[in-house]
Amino acid sequence: MICQLCLQDTTLLKRSHIVPRFMYKSLLEKDRKLVNVNLNNLQQKKYMQTGYTEANLLCAECDNEILGSLERFASNHIYMQPSVNSGVTRVNYGGNHEHIPYIRYENLDYVQTKLFFLSILWRCHISKNIFFSEVNLGFHSDIIRKMILESNPGKDDDYEVILILIETDNARPSKSVIDPSKIKKNGNTFYVFHINEIMYHFNISKHNKLDLFTKGSIRRDNIMDIAILKGMEARNYFDLYLGQKILMKSNIQY
């Protein structure tokens, strides 16, 4: 069978992670199951024993060595930061968002950080799981595949990735994993993922890109800023990009 990353005809793994477990570990129930909420019916829940995994996508070398190396880096340097005193600094977000605080990661490896996030986007594209059905990268898929395979993150403005932390004070289901959304705005195309209070934005096209993609994406100077939205601002942002059409259809109260 053909490995989706290296394109070699070889033995494929029976289980590969689409979304690494550490990104949603704190959401697991006591019996280690993940609750998956369907945005089209917020009362419908599905319990997943293994999280977001899939068979017959990748060979052992690509999964364990290439993607596994990126995951180990992200787990140790981004998601396991113990406090703001260990390389993470809270400052004011500049430019058009000067009143929005952000978390700054310094001395992050640009190559590994950017390719880790792009690998999540790419894996969602190759997945057959209906949960990721809106992720269709078209010809961009092969470009990103080669970037991952060749350890080439491209320029700062190639497929920018930004993260925004959403703190809605439990007024929205922000402590959740929500299926990705494809958004087109003024000729620009980007994807938004929501995983455990963090909204991941992936820019695809360079035409009329949103201003936010110039503010917080990982840069070659090895700095990444994560903007923090709180309270009403966070709730409005959540509704705008993920929940608005669902909230209009639903009678559920948060």
Side-chain angles (χ1 to χ4, degrees), residues 74-88 105-106 108:
S75 176
N76 292 330
H77 294 88
I78 300 175
Y79 292 89
M80 298 302 177
Q81 290 283 3
S83 72
V84 296
N85 296 319
S86 60
V88 184
Y105 286 78
E106 297 179 335
L108 277 182

Side-chain angles (χ1 to χ4, degrees), residues 16-60:
S16 295
H17 283 92
I18 305 301
V19 178
R21 191 179 181 90
F22 60 78
M23 294 177 72
Y24 54 82
K25 184 177 180 180
S26 64
L27 299 178
L28 296 174
E29 298 288 305
K30 292 181 180 179
D31 57 1
R32 312 309 295 167
K33 292 182 179 180
L34 179 68
V35 179
N36 178 15
V37 179
N38 184 347
L39 266 187
N40 293 311
N41 183 355
L42 294 175
Q43 293 176 329
Q44 180 182 344
K45 295 182 179 181
K46 178 181 178 182
Y47 292 87
M48 305 173 63
Q49 186 67 54
T50 59
Y52 301 98
T53 63
E54 206 157 327
N56 300 321
L57 290 179
L58 300 164
C59 68

Side-chain angles (χ1 to χ4, degrees), residues 169-196:
D169 302 323
N170 296 319
R172 296 292 185 274
S174 54
K175 293 183 178 180
S176 61
V177 180
I178 297 175
D179 51 325
S181 297
K182 182 178 183 178
I183 299 176
K184 292 186 176 182
K185 188 173 183 179
N186 298 327
N188 180 259
T189 300
F190 61 100
Y191 290 92
V192 178
F193 292 22
H194 183 275
I195 304 174
N196 196 15

Side-chain angles (χ1 to χ4, degrees), residues 47-203:
Y47 292 87
M48 305 173 63
Q49 186 67 54
T50 59
Y52 301 98
T53 63
E54 206 157 327
N56 300 321
L57 290 179
L58 300 164
C59 68
E61 182 176 358
C62 286
D63 189 284
N64 298 332
E65 296 184 20
I66 298 178
L67 298 180
S69 176
L70 295 175
E71 290 181 7
R72 288 188 290 274
F73 171 83
S75 176
N76 292 330
H77 294 88
I78 300 175
Y79 292 89
M80 298 302 177
Q81 290 283 3
S83 72
V84 296
N85 296 319
S86 60
V88 184
T89 305
R90 291 180 184 271
V91 294
N92 286 327
Y93 201 63
N96 294 334
H97 306 284
E98 58 185 353
H99 300 300
I100 299 177
Y102 71 89
I103 300 172
R104 168 161 289 181
Y105 286 78
E106 297 179 335
N107 300 316
L108 277 182
D109 184 275
Y110 171 76
V111 175
Q112 295 188 78
T113 301
K114 185 170 181 179
L115 290 180
F116 165 73
F117 290 121
L118 287 181
S119 78
I120 304 300
L121 177 67
W122 178 78
R123 279 182 268 184
C124 291
H125 168 80
I126 65 171
S127 172
K128 300 178 182 64
N129 191 327
I130 191 173
F131 190 79
F132 305 111
S133 61
E134 284 203 30
V135 182
N136 185 351
L137 297 175
F139 71 89
H140 297 284
S141 171
D142 198 54
I143 296 174
I144 295 174
R145 180 191 68 82
K146 291 177 180 177
M147 292 169 70
I148 298 168
L149 186 64
E150 298 169 1
S151 191
N152 174 20
K155 297 181 294 185
D156 288 15
D157 61 351
D158 290 335
Y159 301 113
E160 300 99 326
V161 184
I162 70 158
L163 281 61
I164 297 180
L165 177 62
I166 304 294
E167 298 180 357
T168 64
D169 302 323
N170 296 319
R172 296 292 185 274
S174 54
K175 293 183 178 180
S176 61
V177 180
I178 297 175
D179 51 325
S181 297
K182 182 178 183 178
I183 299 176
K184 292 186 176 182
K185 188 173 183 179
N186 298 327
N188 180 259
T189 300
F190 61 100
Y191 290 92
V192 178
F193 292 22
H194 183 275
I195 304 174
N196 196 15
E197 294 191 299
I198 297 179
M199 293 175 69
Y200 299 80
H201 303 66
F202 297 88
N203 186 53

